[in-house]
Amino acid sequence: MSSNTTVRTARRRTVRIAAATLTAAAALTLTACNGSDANASKPAAGAESNGGGSSAGAQGSGGKADPAAKVDTDAGAAGKQSSGAPAAGGDRAGSGVERCHTSGLEASFATGEDAAPDPNAGGSTTTSIVLTNAGDRTCKIGGFAGVDLTSENGGQVWSLARSSAKYGSITLGPGDSTDFTINLGMTDESEEGSYKPAFAVVTPPNETASLKLEWPWGALVDQRAATHPATFVNPIG
């Protein structure tokens, strides 16, 4: 073999080895790239664990006895119990007790010794009208009764003003009574500007029918046109 042939053969081997080396390097590079892509397509172990942990944490926060969640749950339970239980005063409100109607009431003036108004007391004296439940059922009453004072022939009517007093309601069983007062500005009947009622027409609260009573007392100062008369009605209850 000539020296030229030996050189060419050596060169071919060198090229083959270099090509093989390049092929192997390319294969390794491709494998590394493929491995990177494969890893990219899957979450890392830590990320998957964190994601699972995050979900578990969310479930845990709903399932564990978190104080705030417990309060909310208890409040909801209490709310359900409260909504199912009758409200305060519900028995009274739902007991079916109606208001007192005129047809079931009797009216009278309180006429005992202490009940008689002092004719010399001016506007500081009072009289009381008693209302009695004459029916056979319990009823409620409260507020202002309407009171009209009338002359003998009914031609002179004085619809009494009402005070600004607060009031509630009263439950009357059969035979029970309550009363309300009327402030009176009394005067001598012989005085000029006096008014002597003959009757008091009483309309119970929230009613239209009335009860008529004879006026048992003396004359009043005639203040039918006054803005703040001394004679006025106070409420029941």
Side-chain angles (χ1 to χ4, degrees), residues 47-64:
E48 186 174 1
S49 176
N50 288 341
S54 180
S55 297
Q59 293 172 359
S61 65
K64 291 182 181 179

Side-chain angles (χ1 to χ4, degrees), residues 183-211:
N183 279 54
L184 301 175
M186 302 196 75
T187 188
D188 191 279
E189 189 175 350
S190 61
E191 291 290 331
E192 184 179 354
S194 65
Y195 175 84
K196 176 66 185 295
F199 302 99
V201 180
V202 179
T203 306
N206 301 308
E207 293 290 299
T208 55
S210 303
L211 301 165

Side-chain angles (χ1 to χ4, degrees), residues 117-148:
D118 180 1
N120 300 315
S124 61
T125 192
T126 62
T127 184
S128 296
I129 293 181
V130 178
L131 296 174
T132 301
N133 182 2
D136 57 1
R137 64 179 181 83
T138 299
C139 63
K140 283 187 176 183
I141 192 169
F144 287 91
V147 178
D148 293 330

Side-chain angles (χ1 to χ4, degrees), residues 138-214:
T138 299
C139 63
K140 283 187 176 183
I141 192 169
F144 287 91
V147 178
D148 293 330
L149 303 180
T150 67
S151 58
E152 186 68 40
N153 61 7
Q156 292 180 316
V157 179
W158 185 356
S159 296
L160 299 187
R162 299 173 177 180
S163 72
S164 59
K166 305 286 186 181
Y167 60 86
S169 64
I170 295 173
T171 300
L172 299 179
D176 291 344
S177 298
T178 187
D179 67 343
F180 64 94
T181 61
I182 303 174
N183 279 54
L184 301 175
M186 302 196 75
T187 188
D188 191 279
E189 189 175 350
S190 61
E191 291 290 331
E192 184 179 354
S194 65
Y195 175 84
K196 176 66 185 295
F199 302 99
V201 180
V202 179
T203 306
N206 301 308
E207 293 290 299
T208 55
S210 303
L211 301 165
K212 191 174 183 178
L213 302 174
E214 290 189 9

Side-chain angles (χ1 to χ4, degrees), residues 58-112:
Q59 293 172 359
S61 65
K64 291 182 181 179
D66 182 78
K70 186 175 188 301
V71 169
D72 290 342
T73 301
D74 292 345
K80 289 179 182 178
Q81 293 174 359
S82 297
S83 63
D91 291 340
R92 294 193 296 273
S95 61
V97 177
E98 297 181 4
R99 74 169 187 269
C100 298
H101 299 292
T102 304
S103 58
L105 294 171
E106 292 180 351
S108 61
F109 277 98
T111 56

